[in-house]
Amino acid sequence: MKKVICLLYFLSFHVVIFGGEFFELSLPIVKDTTRAKLLYFPYNFNPEGILILASGYNSDGTIIMEKEWIDFAQENKLILLGLSFASNVEDLKNGRGYYYPSKGSGKLLLDGIKQIYFKEIPIFLYGFSGGAHFVARFAEWVPDRVAGFCAYSAAWWDDPKSLKNAPLGIIACGENDERLGASLSYFLDGRKLNKKWVWVKIPDIGHSRSAKLESFVRDFFKCIIYKAAQNDVWVDITNGETVFSNTSNLKTALTCHLPDKKLIITWKELNGIK
């Protein structure tokens, strides 16, 4: 009986699509989820970390098929993994479902990762919209496992936690997205807790993915991977000026942390700061 349960618990399939190939790992359905799968590419290197991509509400994980993410993962020896979780929208709006890692989906992801790679290695996460809901909460739930994350345009956010070793992160939203106010408030609340977060407000864009943001996210992750923190810098989110004093609460809230000075130019361009 135990052998049968084990076979049902993790089912992996080899899939070929659009000239590429990946594995699909089916996970058990936990409470308030309707789908739980992980998509990932085979790898022939000793991985430096795992890169998890989570796009919109109930997305299928096929974002990993995009060339920019594939190339980045291969160049930096990251296992590329796509989150394919789903829940009913009513559950998600009422504090249940896969948006809330502490209620089952987080453990499900970690258990699935163990089937893909047996050692604990750094996790990097990028999430847009529904994916941002999961990513932001996952980074707060198991901060010791997360090396860096980007949560882009969630509709609502939990209060950030005071954590001793909070991971580096990007909180982002489009200037014309109705989620902008909630996203900025979450960022400011996190900065008041001294979290080393980056704020990004993308001009002239609503609720949609941004190629420029995703390029910046990859550069941000690369700085973390190669430990460029000795070149880190604080900048004022209103004008992009370098800040050397980070003591007052107001100034703390209105600054963001870049893990490397070389990101300043692209960060300013992304935010439309001259």
Side-chain angles (χ1 to χ4, degrees):
M1 185 63 178
K2 289 183 178 179
K3 291 183 178 179
V4 174
I5 292 174
C6 182
L7 288 173
L8 292 175
Y9 199 87
F10 293 106
L11 297 175
S12 183
F13 299 93
H14 184 219
V15 181
V16 178
I17 184 170
F18 302 130
E21 60 179 11
F22 60 85
F23 289 96
E24 182 180 279
L25 181 64
S26 293
L27 307 174
I29 301 299
V30 296
K31 185 178 180 181
D32 300 323
T33 67
T34 58
R35 183 181 73 242
K37 297 180 181 180
L38 301 177
L39 278 56
Y40 66 99
F41 281 101
Y43 55 92
N44 58 0
F45 48 76
N46 185 25
E48 297 289 337
I50 296 175
L51 174 57
I52 300 173
L53 306 180
S55 46
Y57 159 69
N58 285 358
S59 57
D60 62 5
T62 54
I63 183 177
I64 66 167
M65 298 303 300
E66 296 175 5
K67 184 178 185 300
E68 293 82 1
W69 290 112
I70 293 172
D71 290 347
F72 178 76
Q74 291 179 343
E75 290 168 3
N76 297 284
K77 296 184 178 180
L78 302 174
I79 299 172
L80 185 57
L81 187 154
L83 193 74
S84 179
F85 284 8
S87 296
N88 293 322
V89 67
E90 294 81 7
D91 288 329
L92 296 173
K93 289 182 177 180
N94 287 285
R96 302 187 300 273
Y98 82 95
Y99 282 6
Y100 299 88
S102 64
K103 298 184 178 181
S105 62
K107 183 179 185 302
L108 202 59
L109 173 59
L110 292 177
D111 288 346
I113 288 174
K114 288 181 183 178
Q115 306 304 307
I116 297 168
Y117 191 70
F118 63 98
K119 292 182 181 180
E120 286 194 3
I121 52 178
I123 296 174
F124 298 85
L125 303 107
Y126 167 72
F128 164 66
S129 191
H133 277 274
F134 178 85
V135 164
R137 294 183 177 96
F138 186 86
E140 294 269 279
W141 180 58
V142 284
D144 291 343
R145 292 297 309 274
V146 177
F149 73 94
C150 174
Y152 173 37
S153 191
W156 65 90
W157 308 76
D158 295 342
D159 293 334
K161 300 175 182 177
S162 179
L163 301 170
K164 185 176 180 180
N165 295 308
L168 304 183
I170 299 170
I171 310 299
C173 195
E175 182 181 43
N176 299 331
D177 192 336
E178 63 182 7
R179 299 156 184 81
L180 179 62
S183 300
L184 178 58
S185 293
Y186 181 70
F187 167 80
L188 294 175
D189 288 343
R191 286 294 299 115
K192 289 173 183 176
L193 295 174
N194 294 316
K195 293 180 184 287
K196 291 183 176 181
W197 285 353
V198 180
W199 169 246
V200 174
K201 181 179 72 172
I202 310 170
D204 303 319
I205 191 171
H207 191 63
S208 62
R209 286 176 57 194
S210 164
K212 290 182 178 180
L213 172 66
E214 293 181 13
S215 177
F216 178 78
V217 170
R218 289 188 286 269
D219 289 342
F220 176 80
F221 287 165
K222 193 170 181 178
C223 288
I224 298 172
I225 294 168
Y226 297 104
K227 304 185 188 307
Q230 65 270 20
N231 296 316
D232 66 342
V233 64
W234 293 91
V235 294
D236 189 312
I237 66 172
T238 64
N239 56 27
E241 293 181 1
T242 301
V243 176
F244 297 99
S245 174
N246 198 43
T247 55
S248 71
N249 288 335
L250 179 62
K251 181 59 73 173
T252 296
L254 294 177
T255 58
C256 72
H257 175 267
L258 297 173
D260 195 302
K261 293 178 181 178
K262 69 183 182 182
L263 294 176
I264 291 178
I265 294 176
T266 53
W267 175 83
K268 290 176 70 173
E269 291 175 348
L270 185 59
N271 283 272
I273 298 174
K274 303 296 184 180

